[in-house]
């Protein structure tokens, strides 16, 4: 998946979790840690693989071990911030939702990168999930600068391999915003997050 595909998939995962658990609908600030989590594995691994620090663009930050460490770290930082913030402040509210939204974003990235190989029965291609216990596969794209690969992809947006997913996520996002705005106008209690 490419960055917009990861972001769209993360948003759809988050809205599904929100609907199933009947939690506040994802809007505004909770989307920031979701977006960061959905991009972080590639922001770490792709440049490091290009510069030869890692052998694969899906290795260190794409492993379940790294995901666990990042999620625990974000959770600990959010707890500290929340304890120091005024109870009803924006900071307290934001830090309350950050661990879950970041976790969904990060884990959705790993699932998004694993779907195609698993469905194709190419289980060795998802060895990156258990890095460093299992060697990560090498990709020919790792020899090309990640920013060049993205530039080439987004110069022709209609050929984006994740376009249907991006369109669906955009439609769901707009629908949620319209629904929340309607509830606000009619005075219904909203499940909107801050």
């Amino acid at each position: 998946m490419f960055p917009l595909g990861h972001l769209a998939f993360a948003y759809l995962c988050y809205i599904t979790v929100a609907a199933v658990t009947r939690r506040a609908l994802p809007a505004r600030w909770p989307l920031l840690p979701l977006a960061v989590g959905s991009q972080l594995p590639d922001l770490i691994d792709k440049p490091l693989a290009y510069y030869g620090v890692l052998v694969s663009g899906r290795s260190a930050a794409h492993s379940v071990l790294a995901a666990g460490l990042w999620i625990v770290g974000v959770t600990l930082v959010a707890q500290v911030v929340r304890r120091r913030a005024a109870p009803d402040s924006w900071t307290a509210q934001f830090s309350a939702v950050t661990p879950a939204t970041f976790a969904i974003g990060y884990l959705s990235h790993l699932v998004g990168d694993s779907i195609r190989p698993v469905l194709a029965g190419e289980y060795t291609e998802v060895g990156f999930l258990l890095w460093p216990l299992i060697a990560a596969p090498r990709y020919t794209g790792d020899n090309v600068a990640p920013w060049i690969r993205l530039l080439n992809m987004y110069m022709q947006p209609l050929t984006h391999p994740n376009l249907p997913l991006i369109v669906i996520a955009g439609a769901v996002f707009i629908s949620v915003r319209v629904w929340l705005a309607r509830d606000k106008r009619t005075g219904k209690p909203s499940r909107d997050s801050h």
Side-chain angles (χ1 to χ4, degrees), residues 112-148:
D113 281 348
S114 303
I115 289 174
R116 188 167 288 149
V118 167
L119 292 177
E122 298 169 350
Y123 302 111
T124 57
E125 290 295 310
V126 294
F128 61 84
L129 292 172
L130 296 175
W131 186 91
L133 303 174
I134 295 177
R138 291 180 175 229
Y139 302 97
T140 55
D142 290 340
N143 296 331
V144 178
W147 47 92
I148 298 296

Side-chain angles (χ1 to χ4, degrees), residues 93-107:
Q93 293 173 1
F94 182 67
S95 62
V97 298
T98 295
T101 55
F102 177 82
I104 291 169
Y106 202 112
L107 295 173

Side-chain angles (χ1 to χ4, degrees), residues 22-104:
R22 302 193 49 77
R23 297 194 187 253
L25 291 173
R28 293 185 262 165
W29 290 110
L31 298 179
L32 183 60
L34 179 76
V36 171
S38 75
Q39 304 302 310
L40 192 59
D42 282 346
L43 290 173
I44 295 171
D45 285 352
K46 299 296 184 187
L48 292 177
Y50 174 69
Y51 287 113
V53 176
L54 296 173
V55 295
S56 174
R58 289 186 188 157
S59 54
H62 282 74
S63 74
V64 176
L65 175 63
L69 292 173
W70 274 101
I71 292 166
V72 167
V74 166
T75 301
L76 293 173
V77 170
Q79 286 175 348
V80 169
V81 169
R82 190 170 186 195
R83 273 195 298 256
R84 292 182 179 187
D88 292 334
S89 70
W90 170 87
T91 309
Q93 293 173 1
F94 182 67
S95 62
V97 298
T98 295
T101 55
F102 177 82
I104 291 169

Side-chain angles (χ1 to χ4, degrees), residues 163-184:
L163 187 59
L165 185 65
I166 295 165
V167 170
I168 291 168
V172 169
F173 178 79
I174 291 168
S175 299
V176 167
R177 297 308 301 159
V178 167
W179 181 51
L180 292 172
R182 181 197 57 142
D183 282 356
K184 196 174 206 176

Side-chain angles (χ1 to χ4, degrees), residues 142-162:
D142 290 340
N143 296 331
V144 178
W147 47 92
I148 298 296
R149 289 176 44 213
L150 290 177
L151 183 62
N152 289 337
M153 171 55 62
Y154 291 115
M155 297 255 319
Q156 300 176 5
L158 295 178
T159 63
H160 195 291
N162 307 129

